[in-house]
Amino acid sequence: MYREDSTRYKSFSRRALILGSGQLALMGVIAGRMYQLQILESDKYKMLAEENRINMRLLPPSRGRILDRIGIPMATNRENFRLLLVAELTQNIGHTLELLGQIIPISNQELHRILDDIKNRQRFVPVSISENLDWNSVSRIEVNAPDLPGVVIDVAQSREYPFGTKVSHLLGYVAAVSEKDKKKNRKIDPLLELPGFKIGKSGIEKLHDLKLRGKAGTSQLEVNALGRVIRELSRKNGTPGDDLILTIDLNIQKFAIERLKENRAASAVVMDVHTGALIALGSVPGFDPNLFNKGLSQNNWQKIIEDPLAPLTNKAVSGQYAPGSTFKMIVAMAALEYRVISSKNRIFCPGHVQLGNTRFHCWKKRGHGWVNLNSAIQQSCDTYFYEIAKRVGINRIADFGRRFGLGSATGIDLPNEYAGLMPTTQWKTKQFGVSWQKGETLIAGIGQGFVLTTPLQLAVMTSRIASGKEVQPYLLKGIISKGQTSFVQRAAAGPVKVKPNVLRLVVKGMNAVTNTSRGTAYRSRIVEKGLEMAGKTGTSQVKRISQFERETGVIKFKNRPWTDRDHALFVGFAPVKNPCYAVSVVVEHGGSGSKSAAPIARDILQRTLSRDPSQFFDSSV
């Protein structure tokens, strides 16, 4: 009996020891884990706990300004009074919105949008009611604040363009970020996710958006479990965007637009012939970029995009036109360079050229008689250029066009630049699968047919003729970042690949166009001594004149439908003896270049010379 009890006791003691050891080991594991969590990893879990009650919110930075060459702001920022509604602070949203509608206009479309936003967000998140409120509206809302629970006035920044349509195509505009914009960015900038954040959509605003955008700041907020803000703990302001200094002279830019506005659709470019700096770049009709910032209604947007005059298109860089007789200098230089003609060779103009069964007409029905290079440029004789184009050939003409900046994009710092077209025999075969015809060379010789150029390219061509340098156009001159100004360094332009004597002969002909009595632009000459202008008129056919019309009489310009009228062009530079600035003007359906485009170009050049933008800004830096 005793032995049985002794055995039973020993067995119990072993079990108790095993159980106690297990409990002790478990307690040790628990104690170790607690030590790990509370001592070794305390900072980690403290941070996680803090994140449960602290939110970091992005603060949009101030967008950089865009300045003209002397520092006048063309795009800046202003205070934007925004009206917000916090749904949880009002018991009757409909009644609050009804009272608010008696103070400021709220359309049915806006009302539906507001109610949808409230429905799709938590009630403590502010919903935008209206932006860009004037001070009178803000005052009326503040006076009625006791009757408008949940209505809050917030102060933000809004983009402003003080000169509106005069700089619209140049600067572009900003607008809200779309899903398409987000997809274009491989690495999403957190700023793009901010409600109401705006980015550049066209012009300088688009091309240099990243420089102008700046970097976001942060606000550290204490929030409760629902995410409602309790208080702001700290704030770190963002880095403002860089200010951009352009080569544009606002005074000349505004003057150019005013002169162009006398026509339905036109464009002009003013360029420093030695550096390529653009002094003015205008296109009409324009648009008010401020409207895009405020928000366009669907009806207004449809009116803009359906306008046949295309107010959103920057015609100076995106408009493609047959250059007409402004192209004759290219043909003349190719003929001289390849020794197809000399300046003394004369060609008889009876008013037409016969090629096979086709007759190619000169603009002067009875012809110009005997003409040489100088008089052919002076009087813009088509017959002369038909003949020398036939001798030179289209491939060599196209080669010279490219030497003077035609047929390819210039690389200007603006989006949506078109390349124009310098056709060749190979191009046509590849494009259409048929061979080039001799008649097409004649047509190209007077800047018609397949040849296409932009007003910017014509300004580049003229600058290269005037200076003999392969200048490239540019707009961005300097950047102001964190208070420090740095200028964009550009390599000096090399010489154009053409014999100096060839340039001299062409310039002599252009001088005869404007400064001799038989010149096609003599009536638009600059009369001030020492400031004389050299140039070339051009008329680009939009609709071919039929044989029937030639026999029965061409319909007078004023009686033709506007869309059937010829485009008017002019290119020029001044002063003749010491070239400084070049200009190109295209007036859509303006008719004769001498009557429509040349007077505008003269006035713009005169304003440029009298002001001389280089004195305000060293273009050679």
Side-chain angles (χ1 to χ4, degrees):
M1 186 71 177
Y2 173 76
R3 295 176 72 178
E4 290 179 1
D5 290 342
S6 177
T7 301
R8 191 179 302 158
Y9 176 76
K10 288 180 180 180
S11 177
F12 175 78
S13 298
R14 283 196 301 269
R15 291 175 182 173
L17 181 61
I18 292 171
L19 182 60
S21 298
Q23 291 175 336
L24 185 62
L26 181 60
M27 290 297 293
V29 171
I30 293 173
R33 180 58 176 161
M34 291 178 66
Y35 177 79
Q36 181 187 17
L37 294 175
Q38 295 186 27
I39 305 300
L40 300 180
E41 298 183 3
S42 61
D43 290 341
K44 171 184 174 181
Y45 289 98
K46 180 180 179 183
M47 181 183 68
L48 292 175
E50 287 292 318
E51 288 183 350
N52 285 334
R53 69 179 186 87
I54 295 175
N55 271 353
M56 299 296 290
R57 292 191 181 177
L58 291 178
L59 300 174
S62 176
R63 191 170 180 84
R65 300 174 302 163
I66 304 176
L67 315 173
D68 89 330
R69 63 170 44 222
I70 63 173
I72 299 175
M74 297 186 289
T76 186
N77 305 303
R78 62 174 175 80
E79 282 190 336
N80 171 20
F81 292 100
R82 300 191 300 174
L83 186 61
L84 308 176
L85 175 64
V86 182
E88 74 168 0
L89 299 180
T90 179
Q91 294 182 349
N92 192 327
I93 295 172
H95 180 65
T96 300
L97 291 174
E98 183 181 350
L99 292 176
L100 193 58
Q102 297 173 11
I103 302 173
I104 62 170
I106 301 177
S107 66
N108 289 332
Q109 182 180 356
E110 281 296 298
L111 186 61
H112 289 307
R113 192 267 305 166
I114 294 166
L115 293 174
D116 285 342
D117 286 348
I118 292 173
K119 181 180 178 181
N120 295 326
R121 299 182 185 180
Q122 297 198 54
R123 292 179 62 83
F124 58 81
V125 176
V127 169
S128 176
I129 303 297
S130 182
E131 292 197 19
N132 299 293
L133 296 173
D134 57 42
W135 183 246
N136 182 47
S137 297
V138 171
S139 301
R140 292 169 63 194
I141 293 169
E142 292 287 6
V143 168
N144 291 276
D147 299 322
L148 299 170
V151 174
V152 179
I153 297 292
D154 178 54
V155 182
Q157 282 197 336
S158 180
R159 199 61 160 170
E160 185 173 42
Y161 304 95
F163 303 100
T165 57
K166 292 179 173 61
V167 294
S168 57
H169 293 107
L170 180 65
L171 303 185
Y173 62 91
V174 298
V177 182
S178 66
E179 289 300 320
K180 186 177 179 181
D181 294 323
K182 294 177 183 178
K183 290 179 181 178
K184 287 181 181 179
N185 289 267
R186 294 181 180 178
K187 184 178 180 182
I188 295 293
D189 185 339
L191 282 171
L192 301 184
E193 302 292 341
L194 288 177
F197 188 75
K198 295 179 173 64
I199 61 172
K201 295 285 188 172
S202 68
I204 291 289
E205 292 277 25
K206 178 179 181 179
L207 194 69
H208 296 292
D209 183 63
L210 292 179
K211 292 186 183 74
L212 293 163
R213 191 184 299 177
K215 295 182 179 179
T218 55
S219 174
Q220 192 177 46
L221 303 172
E222 184 177 0
V223 297
N224 63 16
L226 295 175
R228 186 180 295 113
V229 176
I230 299 172
R231 59 175 174 153
E232 184 177 65
L233 299 176
S234 66
R235 172 182 289 254
K236 181 181 179 181
N237 292 323
T239 304
D242 296 338
D243 291 343
L244 304 183
I245 306 171
L246 304 187
T247 59
I248 294 295
D249 186 301
L250 184 59
N251 181 285
I252 298 169
Q253 175 76 16
K254 292 193 295 182
F255 180 80
I257 292 295
E258 287 300 322
R259 284 296 279 114
L260 293 174
K261 280 172 64 177
E262 298 172 11
N263 302 276
R264 292 193 200 180
S267 56
V269 179
V270 182
M271 183 171 166
D272 186 313
V273 303
H274 297 290
T275 68
L278 292 176
I279 309 302
L281 190 145
S283 175
V284 299
F287 59 92
D288 185 357
N290 293 297
L291 295 178
F292 290 85
N293 185 38
K294 295 175 182 178
L296 277 174
S297 68
Q298 187 62 32
N299 289 337
N300 287 336
W301 172 245
Q302 286 299 125
K303 287 180 181 178
I304 290 175
I305 62 175
E306 292 174 1
D307 189 332
L309 298 180
L312 291 179
T313 299
N314 185 351
K315 296 174 175 59
V317 299
S318 300
Q320 297 189 112
Y321 309 90
S325 294
T326 64
F327 188 67
K328 289 175 179 176
M329 283 89 72
I330 297 295
V331 180
M333 287 187 289
L336 289 167
E337 184 83 6
Y338 290 108
R339 298 183 179 181
V340 168
I341 58 164
S342 72
S343 60
K344 296 180 180 179
N345 289 147
R346 297 197 304 162
I347 293 174
F348 184 75
C349 171
H352 64 272
V353 167
Q354 194 75 28
L355 182 66
N357 297 324
T358 306
R359 177 170 287 188
F360 295 84
H361 295 270
C362 183
W363 69 267
K364 191 173 183 179
K365 190 173 183 180
R366 295 183 180 180
H368 292 91
W370 289 101
V371 291
N372 59 18
L373 176 69
N374 193 70
S375 58
I377 295 175
Q378 175 199 42
Q379 300 172 56
S380 199
C381 176
D382 291 336
T383 300
Y384 181 91
F385 286 95
Y386 288 145
E387 183 60 38
I388 66 171
K390 182 173 64 175
R391 299 179 190 179
V392 176
I394 189 60
N395 290 339
R396 293 195 289 192
I397 292 173
D399 171 56
F400 254 77
R402 287 189 288 269
R403 293 188 199 187
F404 285 82
L406 308 181
S408 60
T410 67
I412 183 65
D413 27 0
L414 281 175
N416 304 319
E417 182 191 7
Y418 280 34
L421 177 61
M422 284 291 101
T424 62
T425 54
Q426 295 87 350
W427 168 84
K428 190 184 177 189
T429 302
K430 182 179 179 180
Q431 191 74 16
F432 299 104
V434 294
S435 60
W436 185 267
Q437 302 299 310
K438 287 184 179 180
E440 292 171 329
T441 301
L442 270 64
I443 292 298
I446 62 169
Q448 296 281 170
F450 292 114
V451 182
L452 290 175
T453 59
T454 68
L456 177 61
Q457 289 175 333
L458 291 176
V460 172
M461 176 193 76
T462 310
S463 294
R464 292 185 178 186
I465 291 173
S467 67
K469 301 176 183 177
E470 283 188 339
V471 288
Q472 291 290 343
Y474 67 95
L475 279 168
L476 182 63
K477 185 60 185 178
I479 301 173
I480 303 175
S481 181
K482 299 178 182 178
Q484 300 294 318
T485 303
S486 59
F487 295 103
V488 179
Q489 299 299 315
R490 300 181 188 275
V496 181
K497 296 176 182 178
V498 62
K499 296 173 183 176
N501 189 52
V502 170
L503 281 177
R504 183 183 62 80
L505 290 171
V506 169
V507 168
K508 182 181 178 182
M510 293 176 70
N511 182 47
V513 169
T514 52
N515 296 309
T516 61
S517 59
R518 298 189 70 182
T520 55
Y522 180 67
R523 292 183 179 180
S524 297
R525 67 192 182 281
I526 294 178
V527 297
E528 286 85 351
K529 191 173 182 180
L531 299 182
E532 292 88 352
M533 170 182 72
K536 183 70 189 76
T537 55
T539 302
S540 172
Q541 261 188 10
V542 172
K543 185 177 179 181
R544 186 176 180 181
I545 300 172
S546 66
Q547 187 61 39
F548 175 77
E549 287 178 304
R550 291 189 183 278
E551 293 172 356
T552 59
V554 178
I555 300 173
K556 291 183 178 181
F557 173 78
K558 65 180 181 180
N559 294 329
R560 294 188 218 170
W562 184 76
T563 54
D564 288 351
R565 299 174 184 176
D566 299 335
H567 296 323
L569 302 93
F570 185 86
V571 298
F573 64 87
V576 174
K577 293 183 179 179
N578 183 27
C580 293
Y581 304 104
V583 65
S584 68
V585 173
V586 176
V587 179
E588 290 188 9
H589 309 294
S592 166
S594 60
K595 292 180 180 179
S596 297
I600 296 174
R602 174 203 58 206
D603 293 346
I604 293 174
L605 261 184
Q606 277 186 311
R607 172 60 69 95
T608 306
L609 291 169
S610 64
R611 184 170 170 80
D612 191 12
S614 63
Q615 68 177 309
F616 302 112
F617 199 91
D618 185 6
S619 300
S620 65
V621 175

